[in-house]
Amino acid sequence: MTGRLMNLKNRTCVVAFLILTMAHTVWNGSSWADDNLSEALAAVCKVEANGVGNESAVKAMQVLNNASVDDIPAILIAMDDANSISENLLRGVISKIASRGDSLPKAEIKSYYKDFNHSPMGRLLAFDLLTSGNPELAEKWIPGLVDDPSLPLRYRAIDALMKEAESLKESDPAIAIGKLGLALGKARDVAQIQKLAGELGKLGVKINLQKQMGFIHQWNVVGCFNNKDQSGFDVQYGPESNVNEIDLSATYTDLSGNEANWQSVTTAHPTGIVDINERIGKIKGATVYAVGNFKAESDSEAEIRIGTPNATKIWVNGKLVMSNEIYHNSDSIDKFVGKFNLVKGDNQILIKVCQNEQTQPWAQDWQFQLRICDSTGKPIPEAKPAPQRY
């Protein structure tokens, strides 16, 4: 896929808007489960991109839009199984029901909110329902959300800490630094982390973002191999001949017929960007490989997160954990996320990074940044070297 792609979040909102509109203007029948809330919720939760499930969802929305406030807890529970499209639809339904002004079933909504196993966005919506018109209650609850597993709720708590620090940075900069430091340690949102680092920098506290966010900064790279006409993504070039154990002393033949060797690369970029144009050369229609290592303290479930504007495949310990043949969508941090299992000790990471031949200025970047995190986005620290004995 080439060129700029519409942002997925925007596409989700467009689809949700269209279904909501159709539900009000198209469906006037009464033969489809008019009183069956559970069937309607199930139908909405099955809607997908490209129009999959839209017909049933349109009919279901008529039922849901006529639901009562007593149905809100059931709709919140349905959000636990919702995808991004159906989640937006259900949020719209709850907002519409709540706007009628009827008394909410607050005990049931609070029970949902307090259960960490429920949907992060559902819990955020429950929080908003419970605190609407009661800013004192919101102010009381927000400080306790800094460790909340719902990242949208945690975002609110971090934002509140940042505002407190802003109000204190002139009168009591030491306290402001303390609050910003606490927020930095708890923050998971990338934009918030970067802003916090910037605010601390203004107060004289330098933050190593690369270390703070856990980017791997040492790599070995080799290339280039062919990707003309985007033909190289599924071709197994030399480094893929044995993905279980990469031989960094091996040599290969590159796309020009020359010998290609692994080169050691250490990036000093604040967010761990490895610029392939800078390291290998500004070559179009080409493929490179990069190998890194992550030494884990113990076996654990983990996420590998990569930001890149290029098509990529990633193997960890010889297992393919991610494959994205997408070119020049964006280069945002954590653009793609893959789940895998870390093993105690060394974990070898192999990345294949493909550049296409587009000539537009925005299609020239050839780079990646990668980190290993838990499910909340907190970097997993590498194992400390064993103490030397003399």
Side-chain angles (χ1 to χ4, degrees), residues 236-247 252 318 348 350:
Q236 295 183 354
Y237 296 113
E240 288 184 60
S241 61
N242 184 9
V243 293
N244 293 301
E245 188 173 354
I246 303 299
D247 180 6
Y252 311 98
Q348 188 178 73
L350 173 65

Side-chain angles (χ1 to χ4, degrees), residues 128-148:
D128 287 339
L129 289 170
L130 293 167
T131 59
S132 177
N134 191 346
E136 293 82 8
L137 182 60
E139 187 175 348
K140 178 182 177 181
W141 283 0
I142 281 176
L145 300 176
V146 291
D147 290 308
D148 201 281

